[in-house]
Amino acid sequence: MEITLNGHHTLIVAALVMLAGHWLVFRIRFLSAFNIPEPVAGGLLAAFIITLLNAATGLTLRLDTDLQTTFMLMFFASIGLSADFTRLKEGGKPLVMLLALVSVFIVVQNAIGVGLAALLGLKPLIGLVVGSITLTGGHGTAGAWGPVLEAKYGIAGATTLGIATATFGLVFGGLIGGPVARHLIRKQKRAPLPQTHARTGIDAISGSPRHEQAGANEEDKRLTFELFDQPRLITAYAAIETLAMFAACLSSADLLGRWTHGTAVELPTFIWALASGVVIRNVLTHVFHFQMFDRAIDVLGNTSLSLFLAIALVSLRLWELADLAGPVSIILAVQVVTIMLYATYITYHFMGSDYDAAVVAAGHCGFGLGATPTAIANMQAVTDRFGPSYKAYLVVPLVGAFFVDLVNAAILQVFTQIPFFQ
């Protein structure tokens, strides 16, 4: 038996899932401690309920995919519209170095995923799902690539596997960052701050002294969708203006996708949406000196991602993962060990082998397996105990929030075009 919901009903279900997720995260400490997004918490609960109903009655639920696709494209357009390349200059050499290190690690992450998948008798492209698609990319990238891998490459259950793997990454990204940083700091013989100093002198969110943080540039501390409750003052005109840019990104993505279909430069539509956002942002900002309203972009992008995730999770078919559980667990275990070693011996060394580098290594563990808020939580745990790190709090959010998505999209496109992996 299959129940099909139209667009209106799909939106209602997504809203209910998000409300349920909000209640779960508020009530269950584990979920809030590991930065599990509210739509993921509520969506997984709904997916488990539907799985039980399927086992008992054969029920399946099909939601409006057009609405899901629109929200997904809006999210990736928001990443592009946020990618002002002048911020590379603000971060300086440390930001460029971290972006280079992260780019190399994405290749390593995918090589491990693809190689182990082949050795374990799985399709090599499944290794990308248990690679940077989900671990570096997170839930948004997992949900975007899943349908592409299913429809174009025949990877059954790619979306379901991607969401499950991305959730695993959030949890373990939060577990390993602190221990990695403490190991590195212990080698430096740096003493922790007195507890009263750590609690009163260091801000809980940014790790910066509160008197200096007050005058800091607010936009430099913007996070991603999981912390969408931050205050943002948006006017109706700013919202309409921003929606017009989103519409331009989606229209451009649709046209480019149609024009390049079947050619050597064919790309998934969401990558065109992201690229269109990058072009629109930097042309408007640097050619026409247009003042972008980043808060409006954040709110609309974050809302779109939350609704997209809620719809995607309710549509999951968890029963499709049974045969993959064992091999995937092995690959994920190797991925966790790999990023711990990479952050300890590569990220730490090339970022300067000092205290700031140790905090950056903790952040890399966070967004290399999970998401930017996981990276921030890792760094906060370290700086609350050992003192602030201004460099880490500048470069990690800039790389993790949007630059890494640009690089990840390009690298994944290269991997999917290699004949061996298909």
Side-chain angles (χ1 to χ4, degrees):
M1 180 173 62
E2 182 175 276
I3 298 177
T4 302
L5 303 183
N6 63 26
H8 297 148
H9 297 152
T10 296
L11 190 57
I12 292 171
V13 169
L16 291 174
V17 164
M18 290 173 62
L19 291 173
H22 177 79
W23 185 86
L24 288 170
V25 172
F26 180 75
R27 294 286 182 179
I28 301 175
R29 182 176 178 81
F30 170 83
L31 298 177
S32 59
F34 288 103
N35 301 291
I36 303 301
E38 293 176 1
V40 172
L44 287 176
L45 175 62
F48 279 118
I49 293 173
I50 293 171
T51 300
L52 293 176
L53 289 174
N54 175 266
T57 67
L59 173 71
T60 58
L61 190 65
R62 187 176 300 277
L63 280 66
D64 188 307
T65 56
D66 289 340
L67 198 61
Q68 179 181 346
T69 300
T70 299
F71 287 135
M72 181 262 289
L73 293 177
M74 287 184 65
F75 165 64
F76 279 96
S78 73
I79 295 175
L81 289 170
S82 300
D84 188 342
F85 285 117
T86 58
R87 293 179 181 177
L88 280 171
K89 183 177 180 181
E90 294 175 11
K93 291 182 179 179
L95 188 147
V96 175
M97 175 57 71
L98 180 59
L99 186 57
L101 293 171
V102 170
S103 301
V104 172
F105 179 72
I106 290 173
V107 176
V108 172
Q109 199 171 55
N110 286 330
I112 289 173
V114 169
L116 287 178
L119 287 175
L120 294 170
L122 304 176
K123 291 184 178 181
L125 280 180
I126 291 179
L128 296 183
V129 181
V130 199
S132 74
I133 287 179
T134 58
L135 300 179
T136 294
H139 288 87
T141 306
W145 273 101
V148 174
L149 294 175
E150 290 171 351
K152 188 174 180 179
Y153 300 103
I155 309 297
T159 302
T160 305
L161 176 62
I163 296 296
T165 303
T167 304
F168 169 93
L170 278 176
V171 174
F172 277 83
L175 285 174
I176 67 173
V180 166
R182 283 192 288 273
H183 166 71
L184 295 172
I185 293 170
R186 195 174 293 120
K187 290 170 57 178
Q188 302 171 9
K189 299 182 179 180
R190 182 185 179 99
L193 296 173
Q195 200 65 16
T196 54
H197 184 186
R199 288 180 178 175
T200 60
I202 306 299
D203 183 82
I205 298 295
S206 72
S208 304
R210 288 195 179 101
H211 70 278
E212 293 188 18
Q213 184 196 7
N217 183 352
E218 188 181 42
E219 295 302 322
D220 284 344
K221 296 191 290 297
R222 54 182 293 275
L223 302 180
T224 50
F225 78 100
E226 288 90 342
L227 296 184
F228 59 81
D229 57 345
Q230 299 301 308
R232 297 179 173 95
L233 306 177
I234 301 174
T235 64
Y237 180 79
I240 293 171
E241 187 178 74
T242 306
L243 280 172
M245 289 187 288
F246 275 100
C249 290
L250 268 61
S251 298
S252 172
D254 182 64
L255 288 173
L256 290 169
R258 292 174 185 270
W259 291 342
T260 59
H261 180 68
T263 68
V265 292
E266 180 181 0
L267 299 172
T269 307
F270 71 89
I271 296 181
W272 287 124
L274 188 153
S276 298
V278 172
V279 173
I280 290 173
R281 167 71 189 231
N282 288 279
V283 168
L284 288 179
T285 301
H286 303 300
V287 177
F288 296 99
H289 305 290
F290 180 78
Q291 295 297 316
M292 306 289 282
F293 200 160
D294 284 325
R295 288 193 183 97
I297 295 172
D298 288 344
V299 167
L300 291 173
N302 296 341
T303 301
S304 298
L305 180 57
S306 294
L307 289 169
F308 162 66
L309 286 176
I311 297 171
L313 285 161
V314 173
S315 303
L316 290 183
R317 299 171 182 262
L318 294 177
W319 53 90
E320 295 178 350
L321 293 181
D323 295 336
L324 296 176
V328 165
S329 298
I330 295 173
I331 298 173
L332 288 175
V334 175
Q335 294 284 26
V336 170
V337 173
T338 299
I339 194 170
M340 292 178 69
L341 294 174
Y342 191 94
T344 301
Y345 295 103
I346 305 298
T347 304
Y348 175 70
H349 173 73
F350 282 94
M351 291 303 295
S353 300
D354 54 11
Y355 173 67
D356 288 324
V359 180
V360 170
H364 188 191
C365 289
F367 71 78
L369 283 183
T372 306
T374 308
I376 297 297
N378 286 350
M379 296 193 300
Q380 176 187 329
V382 177
T383 55
D384 278 353
R385 182 166 176 77
F386 292 98
S389 173
Y390 307 109
K391 182 168 77 172
Y393 275 92
L394 174 62
V395 300
V396 169
L398 285 173
V399 171
F402 47 82
F403 285 123
V404 71
D405 288 297
L406 305 178
V407 175
N408 194 25
I411 292 174
L412 285 170
Q413 187 60 27
V414 172
F415 268 84
T416 57
Q417 298 305 311
I418 298 175
F420 170 76
F421 298 149
Q422 297 181 13

